[in-house]
Amino acid sequence: MSEGKRKRGLQEIHDEIKGLLLTTKPQLDDPKPSTRPSLTSDLYQVASLAESFLEQRPRSNKKSWIQLADSLDQEGVNLWNISGLIRKTPENDGRILVGALRLAAFRLIESGVEAKPGIESLLHILQLASKTGATLSGMAVNTLYLHPFIMTLLPSEVGRHDVAARVLTSAAKYEELLRNTDDPDGVHQAAIACGTVVYFSSRMEAAWQEKNYTVADFMSQKITDDDQRITLLPLHSRQLLASKFHRIGKSMLELPEGTKPSDAVVWLQKAFTLADPLEDNTVPGVAELKASSGYRELRWLRLATLKRRKAGDAALLDAFKSIIDHMDYSEANITE
């Protein structure tokens, strides 16, 4: 068998990864703009090798790979930590390198995941997949709205949608395992709900960025079809989720390429479905949410959408009532 077609063993793959990291990691302390393209290429190679390692694990004796997997897992943790330290330069904002770091880190950590992972391990790997997919798809974390479970993401000019889609699609097996894992006492119920919604939301936004509207819509349905799971989300997370649906719906109205106005209505209705229950909630903190500019914009956009659809008087009056009930009265916003 030729060298190119020969199947490499786990030890050989492990050693090749370690060799690449031996030359790559020292350059990550202060990566110069001129070295970033080659570093990115090496990190993508690390990620590819880690995938091969994981694929070959089931065909090998556990005793032969457990220590190698632990070693790669530790390398992945180190790379993930480094990804948070990459600095911007005048020539490069660092997002491409951060995406490559997180991809390599995720695949290395994934290569070390247990054969039968527990709930906490599944939650951790699913969260890493969500963050990796978001980074690669060119969605930048807006730290003003950062939340432990739900990330608010803004579109950027940098994105590897194909790689992001592959990461998020491959992570579906962890969501399925999490869904089918027993939690008899319900100890992890809220964490599972949050982790699952983060994953679906990341896939939804990544697909939207890729203009894969079918997958984006499918993921949105998986989020909104489970009312019980939504009720387990923290209030702030539900507001952020509603904002995501609102942003996508609004973009359909502004840039309707490949979409119809009726599609925008569906997304906006889902945004209100997520937001409206909070308005009657007596839990502390909801008053601040009701007064937020995002919710005010949602209400006005809902009214504009109903007008475009030539909705009946009852629907229009209900939309007006929602606006009036939550309006701060002042000379600035009251006219004849």
Side-chain angles (χ1 to χ4, degrees):
M1 184 179 294
S2 68
E3 181 67 23
K5 295 182 179 180
R6 180 176 60 84
K7 281 282 187 182
R8 289 175 293 181
L10 294 178
Q11 182 69 59
E12 189 175 352
I13 296 173
H14 171 273
D15 292 345
E16 187 171 349
I17 291 173
K18 296 287 280 189
L20 279 168
L21 293 176
L22 190 64
T23 58
T24 300
K25 286 198 296 184
Q27 300 179 68
L28 292 171
D29 290 337
D30 186 19
K32 297 179 174 57
S34 60
T35 65
R36 292 190 179 198
S38 63
L39 285 173
T40 299
S41 177
D42 287 344
L43 289 166
Y44 269 82
Q45 178 64 15
V46 168
S48 178
L49 288 167
E51 274 193 272
S52 298
F53 184 94
L54 182 63
E55 290 169 0
Q56 290 194 37
R57 270 184 22 177
R59 298 191 290 270
S60 306
N61 184 284
K62 185 176 181 179
K63 290 182 179 179
S64 69
W65 61 256
I66 188 67
Q67 289 187 330
L68 301 177
D70 287 344
S71 169
L72 296 182
D73 174 76
Q74 187 57 54
E75 293 287 6
V77 172
N78 291 337
L79 288 185
W80 191 274
N81 292 336
I82 291 171
S83 73
L85 303 175
I86 298 300
R87 294 182 295 179
K88 297 180 181 180
T89 68
E91 302 86 359
N92 191 307
D93 66 7
R95 281 178 290 181
I96 292 177
L97 180 57
V98 170
L101 273 165
R102 290 196 167 182
L103 174 64
F106 168 71
R107 291 304 189 189
L108 288 168
I109 293 170
E110 184 184 33
S111 71
V113 74
E114 305 98 308
K116 295 181 179 180
I119 291 177
E120 292 185 1
S121 294
L122 289 170
L123 285 170
H124 179 61
I125 198 70
L126 198 61
Q127 183 186 51
L128 292 181
S130 300
K131 290 183 176 181
T132 301
T135 304
L136 288 167
S137 66
M139 308 296 286
V141 177
N142 181 348
T143 54
L144 291 177
Y145 296 98
L146 189 64
H147 187 273
F149 297 114
I150 299 290
M151 299 177 294
T152 294
L153 303 168
L154 302 175
S156 71
E157 297 298 321
V158 180
R160 286 294 308 271
H161 305 304
D162 55 335
V163 184
R166 184 175 176 183
V167 167
L168 292 167
T169 302
S170 70
K173 59 181 175 289
Y174 302 119
E175 185 276 323
E176 182 180 7
L177 284 171
L178 191 60
R179 182 175 3 111
N180 294 322
T181 299
D182 289 333
D183 182 28
D185 298 324
V187 176
H188 301 283
Q189 191 176 25
I192 290 172
C194 291
T196 301
V197 169
V198 166
Y199 170 67
F200 290 154
S201 177
S202 296
R203 285 197 71 179
M204 177 183 76
E205 291 192 293
W208 180 255
Q209 284 285 94
E210 197 179 6
K211 296 186 178 181
N212 188 339
Y213 303 133
T214 301
V215 172
D217 183 64
F218 179 64
M219 288 298 130
S220 75
Q221 290 179 26
K222 291 179 79 70
I223 292 171
T224 57
D225 285 353
D226 193 330
D227 293 335
Q228 182 179 2
R229 182 166 56 214
I230 290 175
T231 61
L232 292 170
L233 299 178
L235 294 175
H236 187 56
S237 299
R238 291 177 65 178
Q239 184 199 20
L240 295 179
L241 196 56
S243 298
K244 292 184 180 190
F245 279 84
H246 162 245
R247 180 169 59 79
I248 291 177
K250 186 178 178 182
S251 71
M252 284 183 168
L253 293 174
E254 296 173 346
L255 299 169
E257 179 187 351
T259 65
K260 304 184 295 291
S262 58
D263 297 327
V265 171
V266 171
W267 284 87
L268 293 172
Q269 286 177 332
K270 288 181 178 180
F272 278 98
T273 299
L274 290 164
D276 283 347
L278 300 179
E279 298 184 347
D280 297 323
N281 201 308
T282 58
V283 177
V286 173
E288 288 78 8
L289 299 185
K290 290 192 294 183
S292 69
S293 60
Y295 272 18
R296 288 197 296 272
E297 187 178 358
L298 273 172
R299 294 188 187 96
W300 281 107
L301 192 56
R302 178 193 188 192
L303 177 60
T305 303
L306 289 170
K307 285 183 176 180
R308 289 191 188 191
R309 295 181 65 201
K310 302 185 185 306
D313 291 342
L316 291 172
L317 285 172
D318 183 64
F320 270 119
K321 184 177 184 300
S322 180
I323 292 170
I324 293 169
D325 287 347
H326 299 94
M327 179 181 286
D328 294 327
Y329 294 99
S330 66
E331 292 183 4
N333 61 22
I334 297 179
T335 65
E336 295 182 1

PDB file of all heavy atoms in Angstrom, residues 237-250:
ATOM      1  N   SER A 237     -32.343  35.566  28.838  1.00  0.00           N
ATOM      2  CA  SER A 237     -32.055  34.721  27.684  1.00  0.00           C
ATOM      3  C   SER A 237     -33.229  34.695  26.718  1.00  0.00           C
ATOM      4  O   SER A 237     -33.049  34.697  25.500  1.00  0.00           O
ATOM      5  CB  SER A 237     -31.731  33.294  28.139  1.00  0.00           C
ATOM      6  OG  SER A 237     -30.592  33.278  28.967  1.00  0.00           O
ATOM      7  N   ARG A 238     -34.433  34.690  27.263  1.00  0.00           N
ATOM      8  CA  ARG A 238     -35.615  34.693  26.404  1.00  0.00           C
ATOM      9  C   ARG A 238     -35.720  36.014  25.646  1.00  0.00           C
ATOM     10  O   ARG A 238     -36.120  36.044  24.485  1.00  0.00           O
ATOM     11  CB  ARG A 238     -36.868  34.448  27.239  1.00  0.00           C
ATOM     12  CG  ARG A 238     -36.933  33.029  27.796  1.00  0.00           C
ATOM     13  CD  ARG A 238     -38.130  32.816  28.674  1.00  0.00           C
ATOM     14  NE  ARG A 238     -39.383  32.921  27.924  1.00  0.00           N
ATOM     15  CZ  ARG A 238     -40.579  32.734  28.478  1.00  0.00           C
ATOM     16  NH1 ARG A 238     -40.673  32.431  29.759  1.00  0.00           N
ATOM     17  NH2 ARG A 238     -41.665  32.836  27.746  1.00  0.00           N
ATOM     18  N   GLN A 239     -35.357  37.102  26.294  1.00  0.00           N
ATOM     19  CA  GLN A 239     -35.371  38.382  25.605  1.00  0.00           C
ATOM     20  C   GLN A 239     -34.363  38.393  24.456  1.00  0.00           C
ATOM     21  O   GLN A 239     -34.653  38.853  23.350  1.00  0.00           O
ATOM     22  CB  GLN A 239     -35.047  39.521  26.571  1.00  0.00           C
ATOM     23  CG  GLN A 239     -35.141  40.892  25.903  1.00  0.00           C
ATOM     24  CD  GLN A 239     -34.395  41.964  26.660  1.00  0.00           C
ATOM     25  OE1 GLN A 239     -33.520  41.666  27.464  1.00  0.00           O
ATOM     26  NE2 GLN A 239     -34.732  43.217  26.398  1.00  0.00           N
ATOM     27  N   LEU A 240     -33.167  37.871  24.725  1.00  0.00           N
ATOM     28  CA  LEU A 240     -32.133  37.826  23.692  1.00  0.00           C
ATOM     29  C   LEU A 240     -32.555  36.930  22.533  1.00  0.00           C
ATOM     30  O   LEU A 240     -32.300  37.232  21.366  1.00  0.00           O
ATOM     31  CB  LEU A 240     -30.818  37.330  24.290  1.00  0.00           C
ATOM     32  CG  LEU A 240     -30.175  38.236  25.336  1.00  0.00           C
ATOM     33  CD1 LEU A 240     -28.889  37.615  25.854  1.00  0.00           C
ATOM     34  CD2 LEU A 240     -29.899  39.614  24.766  1.00  0.00           C
ATOM     35  N   LEU A 241     -33.207  35.819  22.854  1.00  0.00           N
ATOM     36  CA  LEU A 241     -33.675  34.911  21.816  1.00  0.00           C
ATOM     37  C   LEU A 241     -34.727  35.601  20.947  1.00  0.00           C
ATOM     38  O   LEU A 241     -34.715  35.487  19.718  1.00  0.00           O
ATOM     39  CB  LEU A 241     -34.251  33.650  22.458  1.00  0.00           C
ATOM     40  CG  LEU A 241     -34.443  32.422  21.571  1.00  0.00           C
ATOM     41  CD1 LEU A 241     -33.145  32.017  20.892  1.00  0.00           C
ATOM     42  CD2 LEU A 241     -34.993  31.273  22.402  1.00  0.00           C
ATOM     43  N   ALA A 242     -35.635  36.326  21.598  1.00  0.00           N
ATOM     44  CA  ALA A 242     -36.638  37.078  20.847  1.00  0.00           C
ATOM     45  C   ALA A 242     -35.977  38.105  19.938  1.00  0.00           C
ATOM     46  O   ALA A 242     -36.403  38.317  18.791  1.00  0.00           O
ATOM     47  CB  ALA A 242     -37.599  37.779  21.817  1.00  0.00           C
ATOM     48  N   SER A 243     -34.903  38.721  20.425  1.00  0.00           N
ATOM     49  CA  SER A 243     -34.189  39.714  19.621  1.00  0.00           C
ATOM     50  C   SER A 243     -33.560  39.085  18.384  1.00  0.00           C
ATOM     51  O   SER A 243     -33.487  39.709  17.317  1.00  0.00           O
ATOM     52  CB  SER A 243     -33.109  40.396  20.471  1.00  0.00           C
ATOM     53  OG  SER A 243     -33.684  41.094  21.550  1.00  0.00           O
ATOM     54  N   LYS A 244     -33.095  37.845  18.518  1.00  0.00           N
ATOM     55  CA  LYS A 244     -32.490  37.152  17.375  1.00  0.00           C
ATOM     56  C   LYS A 244     -33.543  36.911  16.285  1.00  0.00           C
ATOM     57  O   LYS A 244     -33.287  37.139  15.098  1.00  0.00           O
ATOM     58  CB  LYS A 244     -31.881  35.821  17.814  1.00  0.00           C
ATOM     59  CG  LYS A 244     -30.670  35.964  18.713  1.00  0.00           C
ATOM     60  CD  LYS A 244     -30.077  34.603  19.011  1.00  0.00           C
ATOM     61  CE  LYS A 244     -28.857  34.756  19.920  1.00  0.00           C
ATOM     62  NZ  LYS A 244     -28.111  33.506  20.043  1.00  0.00           N
ATOM     63  N   PHE A 245     -34.711  36.443  16.706  1.00  0.00           N
ATOM     64  CA  PHE A 245     -35.784  36.217  15.737  1.00  0.00           C
ATOM     65  C   PHE A 245     -36.207  37.540  15.093  1.00  0.00           C
ATOM     66  O   PHE A 245     -36.479  37.597  13.896  1.00  0.00           O
ATOM     67  CB  PHE A 245     -36.982  35.558  16.421  1.00  0.00           C
ATOM     68  CG  PHE A 245     -36.836  34.071  16.594  1.00  0.00           C
ATOM     69  CD1 PHE A 245     -36.161  33.542  17.677  1.00  0.00           C
ATOM     70  CD2 PHE A 245     -37.382  33.194  15.665  1.00  0.00           C
ATOM     71  CE1 PHE A 245     -36.020  32.171  17.839  1.00  0.00           C
ATOM     72  CE2 PHE A 245     -37.252  31.815  15.812  1.00  0.00           C
ATOM     73  CZ  PHE A 245     -36.569  31.303  16.897  1.00  0.00           C
ATOM     74  N   HIS A 246     -36.250  38.569  15.908  1.00  0.00           N
ATOM     75  CA  HIS A 246     -36.606  39.894  15.403  1.00  0.00           C
ATOM     76  C   HIS A 246     -35.598  40.368  14.362  1.00  0.00           C
ATOM     77  O   HIS A 246     -35.970  40.888  13.305  1.00  0.00           O
ATOM     78  CB  HIS A 246     -36.658  40.880  16.573  1.00  0.00           C
ATOM     79  CG  HIS A 246     -36.579  42.315  16.174  1.00  0.00           C
ATOM     80  ND1 HIS A 246     -35.529  43.126  16.519  1.00  0.00           N
ATOM     81  CD2 HIS A 246     -37.412  43.072  15.434  1.00  0.00           C
ATOM     82  CE1 HIS A 246     -35.720  44.333  16.021  1.00  0.00           C
ATOM     83  NE2 HIS A 246     -36.846  44.335  15.366  1.00  0.00           N
ATOM     84  N   ARG A 247     -34.303  40.168  14.637  1.00  0.00           N
ATOM     85  CA  ARG A 247     -33.260  40.633  13.714  1.00  0.00           C
ATOM     86  C   ARG A 247     -33.359  39.918  12.369  1.00  0.00           C
ATOM     87  O   ARG A 247     -33.226  40.526  11.309  1.00  0.00           O
ATOM     88  CB  ARG A 247     -31.873  40.426  14.328  1.00  0.00           C
ATOM     89  CG  ARG A 247     -30.736  40.890  13.425  1.00  0.00           C
ATOM     90  CD  ARG A 247     -29.414  40.914  14.176  1.00  0.00           C
ATOM     91  NE  ARG A 247     -29.050  39.626  14.703  1.00  0.00           N
ATOM     92  CZ  ARG A 247     -28.507  38.658  13.983  1.00  0.00           C
ATOM     93  NH1 ARG A 247     -28.303  38.828  12.683  1.00  0.00           N
ATOM     94  NH2 ARG A 247     -28.183  37.511  14.530  1.00  0.00           N
ATOM     95  N   ILE A 248     -33.592  38.609  12.419  1.00  0.00           N
ATOM     96  CA  ILE A 248     -33.705  37.855  11.170  1.00  0.00           C
ATOM     97  C   ILE A 248     -34.960  38.276  10.408  1.00  0.00           C
ATOM     98  O   ILE A 248     -34.927  38.486   9.188  1.00  0.00           O
ATOM     99  CB  ILE A 248     -33.708  36.339  11.446  1.00  0.00           C
ATOM    100  CG1 ILE A 248     -32.319  35.897  11.941  1.00  0.00           C
ATOM    101  CG2 ILE A 248     -34.098  35.558  10.197  1.00  0.00           C
ATOM    102  CD1 ILE A 248     -32.225  34.437  12.319  1.00  0.00           C
ATOM    103  N   GLY A 249     -36.086  38.421  11.123  1.00  0.00           N
ATOM    104  CA  GLY A 249     -37.313  38.850  10.468  1.00  0.00           C
ATOM    105  C   GLY A 249     -37.181  40.228   9.850  1.00  0.00           C
ATOM    106  O   GLY A 249     -37.622  40.470   8.720  1.00  0.00           O
ATOM    107  N   LYS A 250     -36.540  41.132  10.574  1.00  0.00           N
ATOM    108  CA  LYS A 250     -36.353  42.486  10.066  1.00  0.00           C
ATOM    109  C   LYS A 250     -35.455  42.488   8.837  1.00  0.00           C
ATOM    110  O   LYS A 250     -35.690  43.229   7.875  1.00  0.00           O
ATOM    111  CB  LYS A 250     -35.746  43.361  11.170  1.00  0.00           C
ATOM    112  CG  LYS A 250     -35.637  44.834  10.811  1.00  0.00           C
ATOM    113  CD  LYS A 250     -35.086  45.629  11.976  1.00  0.00           C
ATOM    114  CE  LYS A 250     -34.933  47.094  11.609  1.00  0.00           C
ATOM    115  NZ  LYS A 250     -34.347  47.876  12.744  1.00  0.00           N
TER     116      LYS A 250
END
